[in-house]
Amino acid sequence: RRGRRLRAGLAAGGVSRRLPWLLIGIVLLGSALKDHELVPETPLKNKRNPLNVYFVKVAWAWTFWLLLPFIAVTTFQLAKSRFLYGLTKSVLVVLRRLSSLLVGTAIWYLCTRLFIYIENLTGTCSTSGKPGEPHRLYATKQECHQDNGIWDGFDISGHCFLLSYCALMIVEEVAVLEGLSIDQNSKLHVVINSLFVSLCFLTMIWVFMFLCTAIYFHDFSQKLLGVLIGLSAWYGTYRFWYLKPFSPGLPLPNIPLSSKKYSYRR
C-alpha cells in the first residue's frame, strides 16, 4: 500500500511541485547551521566519504544509466498500449524521449564547465614559495594545486546544481507510471518496479547528499546559485521546452496535468 501511495504521489506531480521548495529550504537551513557552527562532526564532512566518492562524484552517470532503461521500457509500453502506435512509431517515440538524456548530459557538461571557468576567472593562488623567488601568476586552479597552492575563487556549488537537477529529473520521468497499465504477474511489471525502486532510492541519496553539501561545504551564495541553476535547468526543460513540438517531450504527452489519473496496476 505504501508503494502504491508513493507511485501515486510521484505520478500526480505533488513531489515535483514541493521538491524545489524543499531544496531551497535545505540550502537556507543548512547554511544557517554552518554559519553558526551548529553542525556536528561526522564522517560525511570528509569529501572522501563513500557516498560522495562512489555516488555524488558520478551522480550524472548513476542518473543516466538508471533512467535510460526506465524511459525506454515505459515509453515503449505506453506508446503501444495507450496510444496504440505500431512498432516503428513506438521506437521513434522512445528515441525522442531518450533524447532528454542527451539534453541532460549537455546541461551537466556546459554548467560544470561554466563553473570551472568562473572559479578560474575569479580566483587567486596562495603558495608558500621560497624567499626571494619571483611571485608566479596562476591562470587556473589546476596549476595552483600542482604547486601545492590554495586557490581562492568563487566556487559555485556543482553538487547543489547537479543533485537538484538529477532529483527533479527523476521525479519528472517516473510520472510516466500514471499512464501505464501492466499485468502485475508479468515480467515487465517486475522490471519496471525494480527500476522504479532503484530510482526512488537514488533520489533519496541525492537529497540526503544535497543536505550534507548544504551543512558542510561552500558559502551560502555559492550553494544558492548552484541550486537556482539546477532548478532553472529543470524548469526550462520540463516546464517550458518539453511542452513544445520540437523537443524530447514529456513522459506523458498530450495529457493535461489537471486530468491525470493514477492507473498503474500493482
Side-chain angles (χ1 to χ4, degrees):
R1 185 176 297 179
R2 290 181 179 178
R4 184 175 182 178
R5 288 178 180 175
L6 176 60
R7 288 191 292 267
L10 289 169
V15 176
S16 64
R17 288 193 296 269
R18 295 183 180 92
L19 186 55
W21 298 107
L22 173 63
L23 295 172
I24 293 176
I26 289 175
V27 167
L28 295 174
L29 178 61
S31 298
L33 292 174
K34 180 176 181 292
D35 292 342
H36 290 85
E37 298 181 351
L38 299 175
V39 181
E41 293 288 335
T42 69
L44 294 171
K45 189 174 183 180
N46 188 339
K47 292 182 179 181
R48 296 185 179 181
N49 71 77
L51 282 176
N52 192 56
V53 172
Y54 298 109
F55 282 90
V56 179
K57 291 293 186 181
V58 285
W60 180 246
W62 278 105
T63 303
F64 183 98
W65 290 113
L66 277 177
L67 278 178
L68 180 64
F70 181 84
I71 293 175
V73 172
T74 55
T75 303
F76 186 79
Q77 182 65 24
L78 181 68
K80 286 182 60 181
S81 63
R82 185 159 186 168
F83 297 104
L84 304 178
Y85 292 154
L87 178 61
T88 302
K89 177 67 173 179
S90 297
V91 171
L92 292 176
V93 172
V94 170
L95 292 176
R96 179 186 177 189
R97 286 265 45 254
L98 285 176
S99 67
S100 63
L101 294 176
L102 297 180
V103 173
T105 301
I107 290 174
W108 160 74
Y109 179 80
L110 292 175
C111 287
T112 52
R113 299 305 298 177
L114 176 63
F115 297 167
I116 293 173
Y117 174 77
I118 291 175
E119 187 178 13
N120 287 334
L121 185 66
T122 59
T124 56
C125 183
S126 300
T127 59
S128 54
K130 297 180 181 179
E133 286 187 352
H135 181 70
R136 178 184 172 185
L137 296 178
Y138 296 86
T140 66
K141 180 178 180 179
Q142 183 178 8
E143 292 179 1
C144 178
H145 285 176
Q146 287 176 350
D147 281 356
N148 298 318
I150 299 176
W151 188 261
D152 183 20
F154 189 74
D155 182 17
I156 300 174
S157 177
H159 281 23
C160 285
F161 152 71
L162 186 56
L163 295 176
S164 60
Y165 181 60
C166 287
L168 284 163
M169 186 174 183
I170 291 173
V171 169
E172 290 287 351
E173 292 298 337
V174 297
V176 75
L177 293 180
E178 186 178 0
L180 290 179
S181 182
I182 303 173
D183 182 2
Q184 63 178 351
N185 296 319
S186 67
K187 292 182 180 180
L188 182 60
H189 184 274
V190 175
V191 171
I192 293 176
N193 258 3
S194 299
L195 289 170
F196 172 73
V197 170
S198 300
L199 286 167
C200 288
F201 180 69
L202 191 65
T203 303
M204 289 189 289
I205 293 178
W206 294 162
V207 175
F208 176 70
M209 293 307 294
F210 184 93
L211 171 64
C212 293
T213 300
I215 63 178
Y216 287 122
F217 305 105
H218 292 281
D219 295 335
F220 169 68
S221 59
Q222 297 169 352
K223 289 178 286 194
L224 182 62
L225 188 55
V227 70
L228 289 178
I229 293 174
L231 296 183
S232 298
W234 157 74
Y235 191 89
T237 51
Y238 285 91
R239 292 291 184 266
F240 181 72
W241 182 30
Y242 290 178
L243 299 175
K244 308 297 182 182
F246 298 100
S247 73
L250 293 172
L252 284 173
N254 304 320
I255 303 176
L257 290 174
S258 59
S259 66
K260 290 181 179 179
K261 296 181 180 179
Y262 179 72
S263 61
Y264 181 65
R265 296 176 186 172
R266 293 191 305 159

